[in-house]
Amino acid sequence: MSTGLPSAIPNLKIETKDVTTAPGVTLSEGQSTVVRSILDLFAGRPSLPKLALWRDDATFTDPLTIATGRDRYAAQWYGLQQAFSEIERLHHEVTDAGTPILMDLKTRYVIKGIGKEQIINSVVAVHLDEQGKVSKLEDRWNGTLPEGSIANAFRHLNAVTVPKLVSVPKNEEEDAKKGN
């Protein structure tokens, strides 16, 4: 896996400076950059340069969506800014630096408009390709993802619907206007 990837992306501006790892777990420089950028995404701080660390055909899955392709997964990350008035990371720890990279994540979300607070405990699995780009990210709430054809149909429908409702910047200027 290449560790030169992150430096090739201008204006990365990752806000997460430190990654907590379990005893005995060590990330390469490239893995650390990707994990820090993913922590920013989960905090509702997306940007085009951070998403440049992802393959165009990557897949993001969680209990609500299965989003394959840049237009679909980018909308999921930018949608966090629109859906939540507050996002607070309560805890994170990388538990495995292998393939995939595994991370425990606990996040507090406050839903815009109604003020309802929700705490989500996740096991996040980050799959990297041979160039060190994200090829798949699984956000398993309470360690699991739903199974079955009906659940998956709704998850695919969400992946198609969210990009119609969420605007993803087309360039750095639009991204900057969103505060990214």
Side-chain angles (χ1 to χ4, degrees):
M1 179 173 23
S2 168
T3 57
L5 171 74
S7 62
I9 298 171
N11 303 319
L12 206 46
K13 297 180 189 164
I14 297 174
E15 295 173 31
T16 302
K17 299 301 177 203
D18 298 310
V19 175
T20 303
T21 56
V25 174
T26 304
L27 296 171
S28 71
E29 182 182 339
Q31 287 175 316
S32 175
T33 298
V34 169
V35 168
R36 290 183 304 113
S37 75
I38 287 169
L39 287 168
D40 279 8
L41 294 176
F42 274 103
R45 303 297 301 149
S47 70
L48 295 176
K50 290 172 194 166
L51 291 173
L53 295 171
W54 290 55
R55 291 171 52 112
D56 288 342
D57 63 349
T59 299
F60 168 79
T61 63
D62 71 5
L64 301 177
T65 194
I66 300 172
T68 299
R70 186 168 300 280
D71 61 328
R72 292 184 179 176
Y73 66 72
Q76 301 297 322
W77 293 118
Y78 279 95
L80 290 177
Q81 294 175 323
Q82 292 177 292
F84 301 105
S85 57
E86 293 177 47
I87 301 174
E88 177 187 10
R89 181 179 345 143
L90 302 174
H91 168 81
H92 81 275
E93 181 178 62
V94 176
T95 58
D96 190 331
T99 305
I101 298 168
L102 297 176
M103 175 172 48
D104 292 335
L105 184 62
K106 183 177 183 178
T107 310
R108 181 180 72 88
Y109 298 93
V110 178
I111 301 170
K112 267 188 187 173
I114 61 173
K116 180 175 176 8
E117 181 176 303
Q118 182 71 44
I119 294 178
I120 299 192
N121 290 293
S122 296
V123 174
V124 177
V126 182
H127 301 260
L128 302 178
D129 69 9
E130 54 282 348
Q131 281 80 44
K133 283 193 166 195
V134 176
S135 60
K136 182 177 184 179
L137 187 142
E138 298 170 306
D139 179 13
R140 302 172 183 182
W141 297 358
N142 297 315
T144 63
L145 287 171
E147 295 180 19
S149 58
I150 294 174
N152 285 340
F154 280 109
R155 292 167 71 208
H156 283 288
L157 178 63
N158 182 38
V160 172
T161 305
V162 170
K164 295 180 186 326
L165 304 173
V166 174
S167 88
V168 173
K170 294 178 182 27
N171 55 47
E172 297 242 357
E173 183 182 337
E174 287 182 17
D175 213 13
K177 285 180 184 172
K178 287 185 173 276
N180 301 318

